[in-house]
């Protein structure tokens, strides 16, 4: 993050979690005490706004805290190359200020030149939340009106609902053929009592995430809260499984798993820097011997999980005197015979063909990946790139704790009367001290304040100087909670009034969008469950 902008602390602002582990539940009320645990437990990377051209203010202020491979999207953005952004809205209630973060992220990516998709997750709302179709239709229209009112251009993007998109459903069917129940059980905790429609809605969400790449594979970002990360990880796996070829690094004719391959790369790099080793003459059995030597040397340049090391040593010993020679490998996953033969023809330079893979000695991995994708698409494959994601913090409820649709005082609906919005802010909890004197002496705690979050996430918008001033005046004890809430309440009322005027204007634009908001579906009704935001 840029040094001159205050950022919200990455370990506060939500209900606490007693366990050291973080559980991410896409349909529950996930709250996270320490966002840094997501980096350790799930491999989410820390977001750096300095790596993004003209970053959105949510990026600059730390509200967007993590990502998966967003650098590919940022690179496409910087080079004027195609990229896409997609997120979905489950219509279980009125749109509120928590949803506005996702709206803003999508709109910003559209303004940066991306192809942007906004979807109504009606199948998920019906199967996972028990919403009736009439309720879904009503809320879906309201979500789209706010989305357009906030700046989404429907003529330059695409809006759809899951239940009406046949291409999406066909893609979901194909993805479903690559998944099994044990994965749903491991990822989501599904069991024998889980209804089949709920599982079907998950597969549909995986298809949603890959949908922007149906016409052309491209970097695609999914802006979501961290509770939706299980869907992103599952979709990334699905994208890889549906590829015709997997491009990997290899060093000999036999195949390694990902952990063994990473260890072999570390071993090879260490040997390359050893003046006593000629890597051009290195044999598999020699590499096995050196790996065992490293295992018994505390000062060795590499380390490894013992099981991974032992399995790699065994494969190297079985390789005997086969020369070690780095190469790029194309593994056959789902290719037809014609596609496999076509790939062989397209690979330039020295290559070797095996029953289930091809080794190339003159390509780098990026060149190899591009060739594999082009051949796949020419032979009716998808050629998906792994989808990227960015993650924003959960907003704190105005009453403290989590913000929830089922607790009206905890959130502000984008449909709230401006006076009601004003009153909710005036009644909000703060990060202030017990008395005004103590506040002036010690300063406030904006990193623990729902009202400051309103400034950072919404009320200051792109005005970084204003957001910084509020933060610094609070920490210095110059800003007292009463006046701060009064200013925030007035700004909130102004925002709601302006937004609702724009919603009226958006009605005409929505009429021209090719989306059916009057479903004639029949189905079972049900109760709406709590929605964490």
């Amino acid at each position: 993050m840029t040094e001159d902008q205050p950022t919200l602390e990455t370990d506060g602002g939500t209900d606490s979690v007693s366990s050291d582990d973080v559980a991410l539940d896409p349909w529950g009320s996930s709250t996270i005490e320490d966002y840094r645990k997501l980096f350790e437990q799930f491999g989410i990377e820390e977001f750096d706004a300095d790596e993004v051209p003209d970053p959105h203010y949510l990026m600059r202020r730390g509200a967007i805290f993590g990502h998966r491979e967003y650098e590919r999207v940022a690179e496409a953005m910087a080079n004027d190359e195609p990229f896409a952004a997609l997120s979905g809205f489950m219509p279980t209630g009125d749109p509120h200020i928590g949803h506005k973060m996702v709206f803003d992220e999508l709109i910003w990516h559209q303004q940066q030149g991306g192809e942007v998709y906004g979807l109504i997750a009606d199948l998920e709302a019906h199967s996972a939340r028990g919403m009736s179709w009439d309720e879904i239709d009503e809320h879906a229209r309201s979500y789209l009106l706010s989305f357009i009112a906030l700046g989404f251009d429907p003529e330059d993007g695409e809006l759809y609902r899951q239940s009406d998109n046949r291409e999406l459903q066909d893609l979901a069917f194909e993805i479903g053929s690559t998944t099994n129940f044990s994965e749903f059980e491991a990822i989501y905790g599904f069991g024998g009592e889980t209804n089949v429609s709920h599982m079907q809605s998950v597969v549909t969400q995986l298809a949603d995430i890959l949908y922007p790449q149906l016409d052309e594979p491209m970097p695609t970002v999914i802006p979501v809260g961290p509770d939706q990360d299980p869907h992103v990880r599952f979709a990334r796996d699905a994208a890889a499984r549906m590829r015709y070829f997997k491009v990997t690094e290899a060093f000999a004719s036999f195949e390694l798993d990902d952990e063994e391959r990473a260890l072999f790369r570390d071993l090879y790099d260490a040997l390359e820097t050893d003046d006593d080793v000629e890597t051009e003459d290195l044999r598999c059995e020699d590499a096995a011997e050196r790996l065992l030597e490293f295992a018994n040397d505390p000062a060795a340049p590499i380390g490894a999980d013992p099981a991974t090391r032992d399995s790699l040593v065994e494969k190297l010993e079985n390789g005997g005197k086969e020369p070690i020679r780095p190469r790029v490998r194309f593994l056959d996953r789902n290719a037809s015979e014609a596609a496999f033969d076509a790939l062989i023809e397209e690979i330039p330079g020295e290559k070797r063909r095996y029953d289930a893979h091809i080794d190339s000695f003159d390509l780098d991995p990026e060149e190899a990946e591009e060739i594999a994708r082009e051949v796949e698409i020419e032979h009716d494959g998808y050629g998906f790139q792994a989808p990227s994601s960015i993650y924003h913090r959960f907003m704190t409820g105005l009453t403290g704790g989590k913000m929830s649709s089922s607790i009206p005082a905890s959130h502000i609906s984008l449909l709230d009367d401006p006076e009601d919005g004003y009153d909710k802010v005036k009644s909000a909890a703060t990060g202030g001290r017990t008395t005004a004197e103590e506040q002036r002496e010690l300063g406030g705690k904006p990193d623990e304040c729902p009202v400051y979050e309103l400034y950072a996430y919404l009320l200051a918008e792109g005005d970084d100087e204003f957001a910084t001033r509020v933060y610094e005046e609070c920490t210095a004890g110059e800003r007292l909670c009463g006046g701060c809430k009064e200013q925030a309440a007035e700004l909130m009322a102004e925002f709601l009034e302006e937004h609702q005027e724009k919603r009226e204007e958006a009605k005409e634009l929505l009429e021209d969008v090719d989306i059916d908001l009057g479903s004639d579906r029949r189905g079972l009704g049900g109760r709406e469950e709590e929605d964490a935001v």
Side-chain angles (χ1 to χ4, degrees):
M1 303 302 164
T2 53
E3 293 183 0
D4 58 343
Q5 297 302 327
T7 60
L8 298 176
E9 295 293 331
T10 57
D11 59 352
T14 60
D15 288 347
S16 64
V17 179
S18 58
S19 170
D20 288 338
D21 292 328
V22 176
L24 298 180
D25 178 1
W27 303 284
S29 53
S30 295
T31 53
I32 297 172
E33 179 181 344
D34 189 345
Y35 284 82
R36 289 168 296 191
K37 290 181 180 177
L38 298 176
F39 305 145
E40 302 166 6
Q41 294 183 16
F42 298 102
I44 291 175
E45 301 174 77
E46 189 168 0
F47 193 89
D48 184 356
D50 293 334
E51 302 297 321
V52 181
D54 188 25
H56 188 268
Y57 70 84
L58 290 174
M59 298 175 176
R60 297 195 301 267
R61 296 175 193 167
I64 295 173
F65 69 90
H67 74 103
R68 290 190 187 277
E69 287 194 295
Y70 187 72
E71 62 272 7
R72 293 192 293 110
V73 177
E75 182 179 352
M77 193 184 302
N79 295 327
D80 236 359
E81 296 172 350
F83 70 94
L86 172 143
S87 201
F89 315 108
M90 187 159 58
T92 57
D94 292 337
H96 47 64
I97 57 174
H99 298 124
K100 182 182 180 294
M101 283 199 292
V102 181
F103 291 148
D104 286 347
E105 292 170 59
L106 290 175
I107 291 165
W108 179 81
H109 280 94
Q110 186 179 56
Q111 292 168 346
Q112 306 310 305
E115 298 179 17
V116 172
Y117 299 76
L119 68 102
I120 297 298
D122 56 351
L123 294 179
E124 182 184 10
H126 186 65
S127 65
R129 296 295 178 88
M131 299 289 292
S132 72
W133 292 106
D134 287 342
E135 291 173 308
I136 289 170
D137 292 342
E138 176 187 352
H139 295 313
R141 185 172 187 275
S142 188
Y143 273 79
L144 296 182
L145 283 175
S146 280
F147 191 25
I148 295 171
L150 288 167
F152 175 74
D153 183 355
E155 293 184 357
D156 195 37
E158 182 176 340
L159 301 174
Y160 69 88
R161 56 190 297 168
Q162 292 173 324
S163 59
D164 288 343
N165 191 324
R166 181 53 192 266
E167 278 190 307
L168 176 79
Q169 293 174 28
D170 288 346
L171 176 58
F173 183 84
E174 297 297 331
I175 293 174
S177 69
T178 72
T179 62
N180 56 61
F181 179 75
S182 63
E183 292 176 291
F184 289 89
E185 186 178 31
I187 296 172
Y188 304 108
F190 287 178
E193 73 287 351
T194 305
N195 69 69
V196 175
S197 292
H198 193 173
M199 289 186 281
Q200 182 182 357
S201 77
V202 171
V203 178
T204 303
Q205 287 174 82
L206 305 184
D208 285 322
I209 292 171
L210 299 179
Y211 179 74
Q213 299 190 58
L214 273 182
D215 291 334
E216 177 187 0
M218 67 179 77
T220 302
V221 61
I222 314 300
V224 288
D227 58 329
Q228 300 300 304
D229 183 59
H231 295 323
V232 173
R233 284 183 279 131
F234 205 175
R236 287 170 63 86
D237 288 344
R241 290 177 194 173
M242 297 183 74
R243 292 295 306 276
Y244 280 9
F245 306 101
K246 178 180 180 180
V247 176
T248 68
E249 185 176 42
F251 298 87
S253 61
F254 49 84
E255 184 55 27
L256 305 174
D257 64 27
D258 291 341
E259 290 76 17
E260 293 167 343
R261 190 178 301 111
L263 177 56
F264 205 153
R265 166 46 69 187
D266 290 343
L267 172 64
Y268 191 83
D269 289 344
L271 295 178
E272 271 197 314
T273 61
D274 189 333
D275 294 337
D276 296 329
V277 176
E278 292 290 341
T279 52
E280 294 179 358
D281 298 327
L282 193 65
R283 307 285 172 163
C284 288
E285 58 187 18
D286 300 328
E289 183 179 342
R290 294 307 299 272
L291 186 55
L292 287 171
E293 290 175 4
F294 285 145
N296 297 318
D297 182 2
I302 63 171
D305 169 69
T308 300
R309 183 190 62 237
D310 292 346
S311 62
L312 178 56
V313 166
E314 182 179 358
K315 290 182 179 181
L316 288 170
E317 289 176 340
N318 289 339
K321 294 189 177 298
E322 180 183 348
I324 301 293
R325 191 178 176 195
R327 74 220 39 203
V328 172
R329 174 160 295 162
F330 300 81
L331 291 167
D332 182 359
R333 275 186 154 169
N334 301 296
S336 63
E337 185 176 347
F340 193 77
D341 291 340
L343 178 63
I344 295 172
E345 294 297 319
E346 289 296 322
I347 297 173
E350 184 183 355
K351 55 198 168 189
R352 291 181 186 171
R353 174 177 181 167
Y354 299 85
D355 287 340
H357 69 263
I358 307 164
D359 286 352
S360 168
F361 297 90
D362 296 325
L363 289 174
D364 64 39
E366 288 187 5
E367 293 172 323
E369 183 63 49
E370 189 59 33
I371 290 173
R373 181 172 284 109
E374 288 175 358
V375 170
E376 179 176 339
I377 293 171
E378 288 172 3
H379 289 78
D380 300 322
Y382 294 104
F384 290 133
Q385 295 189 25
S388 304
S389 51
I390 51 177
Y391 302 96
H392 56 254
R393 289 166 45 93
F394 294 120
M395 289 192 74
T396 308
L398 297 178
T399 53
K402 71 177 184 297
M403 183 179 288
S404 172
S405 294
S406 64
I407 307 174
S410 76
H411 74 277
I412 295 174
S413 165
L414 297 179
L415 278 62
D416 274 346
D417 183 277
E419 292 185 5
D420 292 338
Y422 175 93
D423 291 339
K424 285 183 178 180
V425 176
K426 287 285 288 183
S427 301
T430 71
R433 304 290 178 173
T434 306
T435 65
E437 290 74 16
E438 189 178 357
Q439 177 96 349
R440 291 188 180 97
E441 179 183 353
L442 301 176
K445 296 180 284 186
D447 296 315
E448 301 175 15
C449 180
V451 176
Y452 176 70
E453 282 190 20
L454 293 178
Y455 284 105
Y457 292 174
L458 189 154
L459 300 176
E461 291 197 335
D463 191 344
D464 289 336
E465 290 185 5
F466 178 36
T468 301
R469 186 167 67 252
V470 172
Y471 188 93
E472 292 178 345
E473 288 176 354
C474 178
T475 56
E478 299 169 5
R479 175 175 284 257
L480 300 183
C481 294
C484 186
K485 288 205 291 186
E486 174 64 29
Q487 184 179 25
E490 291 176 357
L491 291 172
M492 181 61 72
E494 291 173 9
F495 164 76
L496 290 173
E497 183 175 1
E498 180 182 356
H499 178 67
Q500 288 162 21
E501 289 174 358
K502 290 181 178 179
R503 276 175 58 96
E504 289 299 315
E505 298 171 5
K507 289 179 180 178
E508 186 175 343
L509 294 174
L510 185 56
E511 288 179 1
D512 295 331
V513 175
D514 184 19
I515 186 170
D516 186 359
L517 297 175
S519 174
D520 57 0
R521 285 174 170 260
R522 292 183 293 175
L524 301 174
R527 62 181 181 85
E528 180 180 347
E529 297 178 11
E530 185 176 291
D531 178 25
V533 297

